[in-house]
Amino acid sequence: MTRNYPHIIVAKFGGTSVADFDAMSRSATLVLADKHVRLVVLSASAGVTNLLVELASGLESRFRLDKIDTLRTLQYNIISRLKQPEAVSQAIDHLLNNINRLAEQAADSRSDALCDELVSHGELMSSLLFVEVLRERNVEAQWFDARKVIRTDDTFGCAVPTISDIAELSEKHLRSRVEQSLVVTQGFIGSDAAGHTTTLGRGGSDYTASLLAEALQAARVDIWTDVAGIYTTDPRIVAEAKRIDTLSFSEASEMATFGAKVLHPATLLPAMRKNIPVFVGASSNPSAGGTLVCRDVPEPSRYRALAVRRQQTLLKLSSINARPTPHFLAEIFGILSRHEIATDLVTISETSIALILNATGSTSGEADTLNSALLSELSSHCRVEIETGLALVSLIGNALPHSPVVYKDIFAELEQHPVRMICHGASSHNLCFLLPAEFAERAVKALHRKLLE
Ligand code: ADP
Ligand code: ASP
Ligand code: MG
């Protein structure tokens, strides 16, 4: 039976919020400040997943040992600040030994399943340490292995969660724990039906938090990060970017999909399904407030935000015949579907199709989106051109195709930019430009100045 505890808050802390002992202590204070926070979802400490991804690529021994030393130092910098380091040091040593063994295996024969097993150790370590930080504040927190409830398919690196299984497993294994005490678990990681560890793609801890909030019918998800909310664009690119106090689910989801790293692209899907508000704030400065993402916002404005998605590949496919057959599009999309290539932006002219491919996996780079089997099958049907090193700049807003002024505003600003592709019309909420990556920040700055300041 699904029960509804309307006051559970799921709080997620990102990498910088658990980067070291001081950050963990601030995050612990935030957890303890609100008695409705019953479930804490943690990322790996900042930098740890990157190190694990490097180890998963199969490094030769001296580089491997070097990275493992760095990992050990990061963990022991936290452990050494605990009053009772021995309470957790053995468990962390055990995980560090596992990492060493798995990294050795990866150097021998790398597999996607092995990568996920290896990178999961970042969240396993941070969650063990955080439980100890809470215990030293006299709070009995239970460590919980997220893989018991986050059931996914076996697409290692960007696994797809099975919502009904997560609901059932959470009722069975998690609900009663959350009712009894504070529970600390890992973001990002899950397991397939055979029990193999999987991951949800880089930044996936946000998604874990909203999946568990959905399963527990929580009242709110709090995403604690290093910025005091969601801004009109990445404040690292534009210092004048302003915080948006309230955003609708669809606006925030659009931002996340098109590259606003502050939220994993899928985070808002579970929240939308169950109408659970999502708050985003800075764990180092909670009094600065943040952004509330909810179902409706009063009078959303035409221009809301700009986002950038990097590591984009443009795949251009042209019919060999001057007049393509009526089956041309079906054939091309059939091939892409057989090779499980997903694309979210496409333009089509009489004889050509241009598609944007996005690298989404936990350990994948731009090159991994295309493989030789796919390219040789495509080449037997059409001419294939590939462009890499691109970035997608997206303007997010409302009713964009219905406002002629939009084009005047934008094209004047982009006059000097070599735009490779424009996507507009299918969605009322975005207008996207593909550019060589080195032009992306300049375009964002120019558009922000014109439209959002
Ligand atoms: P965490 O480790 O807490 O998950 P992330 O690094 O994944 O943090 O996300 C926070 C970062 O997202 C910020 O430091 C900021 O640079 C970036 N970011 C990108 N777009 C936006 C935006 N529109 N508003 C706020 N932050 C953004
Ligand atoms: N640790 C993972 C990453 O760095 C997941 C996350 O932080 O959300 O991508
Ligand atoms: Mg993140």
Side-chain angles (χ1 to χ4, degrees):
M1 186 181 72
T2 306
R3 284 166 295 171
N4 190 1
Y5 291 90
H7 295 302
I8 292 175
I9 293 176
V10 178
K12 176 258 169 178
F13 293 87
T16 46
S17 306
V18 290
D20 51 30
F21 181 81
D22 293 326
M24 282 198 178
S25 297
R26 279 193 298 273
S27 298
T29 304
L30 270 170
V31 169
L32 301 178
D34 187 337
K35 67 177 187 334
H36 296 304
V37 174
R38 309 292 296 157
L39 179 61
V40 175
V41 175
L42 297 182
S43 290
S45 304
V48 167
T49 307
N50 287 349
L51 285 164
L52 293 169
V53 167
E54 286 185 66
L55 285 167
S57 70
L59 300 178
E60 65 175 77
S61 121
R62 72 198 152 102
F63 295 118
R64 187 167 72 233
L65 295 174
D66 205 40
K67 304 273 173 225
I68 291 174
D69 262 359
T70 313
L71 277 175
R72 182 172 291 110
T73 306
L74 277 167
Q75 307 309 307
Y76 269 85
N77 283 345
I78 301 174
I79 294 176
S80 63
R81 300 276 304 276
L82 292 168
K83 287 182 212 121
Q84 288 182 314
E86 62 288 352
V88 72
S89 56
Q90 229 183 346
I92 297 290
D93 284 346
H94 174 71
L95 293 174
L96 287 166
N97 289 339
N98 275 353
I99 292 172
N100 192 20
R101 178 178 50 79
L102 294 165
E104 247 172 46
Q105 275 179 35
D108 260 1
S109 64
R110 189 197 163 282
S111 76
D112 291 341
L114 182 66
C115 282
D116 275 3
E117 180 67 32
L118 183 48
V119 298
S120 71
H121 282 69
E123 274 68 12
L124 294 173
M125 293 192 288
S126 63
S127 54
L128 279 170
L129 292 167
F130 196 73
V131 166
E132 215 37 53
V133 169
L134 286 167
R135 283 210 182 120
E136 295 203 347
R137 304 257 193 115
N138 300 321
V139 178
E140 264 321 301
Q142 289 186 66
W143 183 88
F144 181 76
D145 190 334
R147 292 170 295 186
K148 277 190 167 164
V149 293
I150 299 290
R151 175 62 49 81
T152 70
D153 70 0
D154 60 0
T155 320
F156 298 102
C158 54
V160 179
T162 321
I163 307 305
S164 53
D165 288 342
I166 294 174
E168 203 180 305
L169 293 166
S170 297
E171 278 305 315
K172 197 159 148 200
H173 300 297
L174 188 56
R175 168 137 356 243
S176 59
R177 289 172 200 263
V178 167
E179 286 175 54
Q180 281 156 20
S181 74
L182 183 59
V183 175
V184 174
T185 194
Q186 310 79 39
F188 183 52
I189 70 174
S191 68
D192 68 7
H196 301 121
T197 300
T198 57
T199 62
L200 303 177
R202 290 306 301 267
S205 300
D206 305 321
Y207 192 20
T208 306
S210 65
L211 285 166
L212 293 178
E214 175 180 40
L216 296 172
Q217 307 259 320
R220 201 174 72 220
V221 180
D222 288 346
I223 304 277
W224 293 105
T225 178
D226 59 358
V227 269
I230 303 179
Y231 282 59
T232 46
T233 194
D234 188 339
R236 282 179 213 231
I237 301 178
V238 177
E240 294 76 22
K242 287 191 279 298
R243 203 223 347 268
I244 311 172
D245 291 339
T246 46
L247 269 171
S248 67
F249 285 134
S250 48
E251 289 170 326
S253 178
E254 202 85 352
M255 287 179 74
T257 302
F258 287 107
K261 185 180 168 240
V262 62
L263 291 177
H264 178 278
T267 311
L268 294 161
L269 303 176
M272 263 191 245
R273 284 195 291 265
K274 290 281 158 60
N275 192 18
I276 303 170
V278 176
F279 172 83
V280 180
S283 63
S284 60
N285 189 10
S287 59
T291 296
L292 188 71
V293 185
C294 50
R295 188 170 273 173
D296 298 309
V297 295
E299 298 175 33
S301 53
R302 180 186 298 141
Y303 302 128
R304 293 293 259 173
L306 286 155
V308 187
R309 208 166 75 182
R310 294 172 213 279
Q311 292 203 324
Q312 305 297 286
T313 302
L314 179 65
L315 181 63
K316 219 173 118 197
L317 308 170
S318 312
S319 165
I320 296 160
N321 307 317
R323 295 201 50 169
T325 66
H327 310 295
F328 180 59
L329 289 183
E331 280 165 2
I332 297 298
F333 283 106
I335 296 171
L336 294 172
S337 141
R338 275 199 299 287
H339 288 266
E340 302 199 347
I341 298 291
T343 177
D344 54 2
L345 293 168
V346 184
T347 62
I348 298 176
S349 76
E350 193 190 5
T351 54
S352 311
I353 309 174
L355 308 120
I356 296 178
L357 306 177
N358 182 24
T360 51
S362 296
T363 55
S364 64
E366 207 169 339
D368 304 318
T369 48
L370 294 168
N371 61 54
S372 53
L374 164 72
L375 292 178
S376 82
E377 200 175 342
L378 284 171
S379 302
S380 64
H381 284 77
C382 57
R383 258 192 316 277
V384 180
E385 287 168 70
I386 299 164
E387 260 184 72
T388 54
L390 300 166
L392 187 75
V393 171
S394 305
L395 174 65
I396 314 296
N398 294 290
L400 293 177
H402 308 292
S403 326
V405 63
V406 169
Y407 309 106
K408 183 169 144 285
D409 287 348
I410 289 169
F411 288 109
E413 291 308 319
L414 293 182
E415 211 177 12
Q416 306 295 328
H417 293 73
V419 174
R420 294 290 301 107
M421 180 167 149
I422 299 176
C423 289
H424 185 46
S427 158
S428 302
H429 299 292
N430 66 58
L431 174 46
C432 307
F433 304 90
L434 191 69
L435 298 153
E438 63 273 22
F439 285 87
E441 293 205 357
R442 220 206 299 168
V444 169
K445 285 186 172 119
L447 291 171
H448 196 274
R449 209 177 308 119
K450 173 81 184 176
L451 308 176
L452 293 159
E453 283 172 25

